[in-house]
Structures are given as C-alpha cells and as structure tokens.
Amino acid sequence: MEDALILKHAGPVPRYTSYPTAPHFSETVGSADYESWLGTVGPDEAISLYAHIPYCDRLCWFCACHTKQTLRYDPVATYLKGLHREVAEIGGRVSREARVTALHFGGGSPTLVRPDDMVALKRAFTENFTFASDCEISVEMDPNDLDEARYDALAAIGMTRASFGIQDFDPVVQRAINRIQTYEQTRGAIEAARARGVHSVNCDVLYGLPYQSLQSLERTMEAVLTLAPDRVALFGYAHVPWMKTHQKMIPDESLPGIVERFAQMTRASEMLLAAGYEAIGIDHFAKPEDSLARASREGKLRRNFQGYTDDAAETLIGLGASAIGQFRQGYVQNMPATGEYLRHVESTGLAAVRGYHFTPDDRLRAKVIADIMCRFAFSFDEVEQAFPGLAAVVIEEARLYRARDADGLTTIENGTFRLTERGRPFARSVAAAFDAYLGNGRGRHSVAV
C-alpha cells in the first residue's frame, strides 16, 4: 500500500471500544444513576461481569492500563476486602434471576492474587450473583506470577479462557518495555492452563514497540504460532506518555514510524491468515472453530472495553477501581484511585464517580460505529428501522463521506455503506467520521494504524 495513503489516514483517533468514548464521561453521572440503572436489570437478563485488579509486581513501560506496582501483598489484600464489599452491594441490587454469562478478571495482573484469595473472590461472586451453567470465566495471566498452586486455584474457580500478554519475545524489545517473559515460560503456562481444562487460549501481540523490526516481529509470530493459541489479538502499541507517564521511559526515537508500523501489522496479519486463522475486525484473529470466529461469520460480533467479543450480554457490570460498566442507559465508571475507591466502597458500597447518559443520537452513532468496526459496513435499512426519524442524518453523512472519498476506502451499494479491502485497515479513521464529539473533547488518542 502507498506510503502517502497510510500517512494520510493514520491520524490519531479513538479505538472505539465504546461510543461516546471515555474522555466524554463526566461527573454528571454518579452513584445515584448507577443505583437506578442496577435496579432496571431484568430477571431474565444475561449480564457480564468484569473484576479489575489494579496491581502488578512490576510495571511494564508500554502499559496504558489503570494499575500500580507493588512488591508487598498487603495493599492487594486490603483492596480485595473492598472488592468483596462492592460485589456484595451490587449483587444485592441486581435481580438474582439475572444470569451471569461471562466473568472476566483483568488488570493489572489478576494472577498475582494468592490462590486462597482468588478462590474466595470467586466464591463471593457466586454467593451474590446467579451464574449460568455455561458461564465463560476468563483471566488475564502473567506467566511470571504463576505457580502450581495458582494454576490449581484458577482451575478451582472454573477458568475456561486464559489470556496471555506476550507482546514480543525479542529480548531487546522486552528490556525496552520492562517485560521479561521467555518463550519457555509462556509455553509452560499455556500447557498448564490447558491441562486444567481451559478450552480457549488468547495471546496478545503488539507491533510498533521500541526497537521492534519487521524481522524481529516475524520471529515472534513464528514462536506464537507454535503455541497454537485459539485467538490472537494483534494490537498496535499506543504511545500516550501524556496520559501514562511511565511510557516516558520509552524513547520516542526507538519507536518505528507509521509506515513501518503498518508494514509490521500487515506482515503479522499475513502470517496468521496463512496459518489458518480468520481475521476478526481490525486486530483480532481466531481459529475457524473458535466462538469468536463463528460470531464474526454470523454477524454477531460485538465490541466492548476488552475489544472484540462474542459476549451477547447487553449489560456489563464493572467492579473494582477504574472499572467501567455499560447499561442500556449509559456508561458508569468507578473511582480510578485505589485509596479513594476503597473509601467510597466502605462508605456506601458503591464507587461510581462519573459516566455518560446516552441520547438517542448517541445510540444511533454507537450502532453505526460498532457496525463499521465489527462488520466493516452498515445498512441504511437497519439503522432506519432501529432509529426511525433519526437515521437520515448519518445516512447523509455516509453519502457525503463516499462522495469525498478519493482514495477508494468505501463504497455504497444496495443501501449499504461498506469499507473496501483497501479501506479496512483504516476502519478507525472511517468510523471517526461518524463521531459527533471528536475534536470537541479533552481526549488525545494514539495513531490509527
């Protein structure tokens, strides 16, 4: 692909794991709204739970998550007491007939939690929520944290999916991002998880990292493929040192340029496709028999704060510091600072401090943007049926975008606005054309490729 085209459409835009995006959340939504929204969760509704563990025993320089380093376990133990309190409070406000179909432990590093504490935390969830018999339980795993007792504890909580952050196996890159993790460690952790019944393994790989080259990324991808993960998330490193100050440890001059990033992404994608994986959206890949691939083929792919998902639950309840929940009415986010989070939970059992209340136009644009990100297309008839009287504005915007699209990124055929093969790598940039708030908020974003 031409360098000029890549540079033209690589400007910073959101990743669109939500719409409106988090920079537009405000304190006008808080605990009172959260209490009201929890009370509207229906008795037959499927719900998804996310539990955030905001601690690591080392801080990776590339990370943009809400987390902090600790070499002592006391802060983790104190935090878990507050998380138990929040689980009990929210469980008491949601219908016990609602069914939990997914529980995701994220971080930070959930696997630094001691085995007994992990089992106790899962017990708190099962005591306060009703779990579906086929509930998916996924855990973000750091091989450096893991031992036999932790593997056994994860088996005891019923873990069905394990996600491993590989990033890159090259030692030079690993030192630059402060993430030392050998291939042998990773292979051993994946084998141990599978031996305990995990049916789905995901590996995260990053391109655009410091000192990363096309050749070093190829070697990493070759190693990843020998692990035979069921899913691979191929993310572009988001360099946002104005938001995450520890990223200043990564010299700007060590980062590959935009054209080189694009070449890395393209080559890694080619290797995954050649190995039999199916492309899912802009940055995920899955084996054809994986549920994510089936959801993509069946038009049921969705996108939330963890990226692409086959989780069909409309309600996502986030628990823990900084966790975000999604309801029909809008988004709600907990206090990010752990100390303040604990004080909120101790006082009221809830820690929501900001969020966003959807307008009808937000819902319309959220669907259009999600369809572009998940299906690379949206149907005029579908949005007209779902949003009568409102859809005309985005349909006109789509026609205007196509009329101005001199690069052949999009087409309109049979009442469907669709990205061409040429346009798919720039889906984030195309989706941004339908973002009514972009440019009007405080958010700064990473490059689009």
Side-chain angles (χ1 to χ4, degrees), residues 122-142:
K122 172 57 175 7
R123 186 184 308 118
F125 277 106
T126 54
E127 289 175 349
N128 289 281
F129 294 89
T130 300
F131 278 66
S133 59
D134 59 350
C135 177
E136 292 282 7
I137 299 175
S138 55
V139 183
E140 296 175 12
M141 303 178 72
D142 181 350

Side-chain angles (χ1 to χ4, degrees), residues 83-95:
L83 187 56
H84 276 256
R85 170 73 193 278
E86 188 187 14
V87 169
E89 183 69 28
I90 291 177
R93 294 175 180 273
V94 173
S95 170

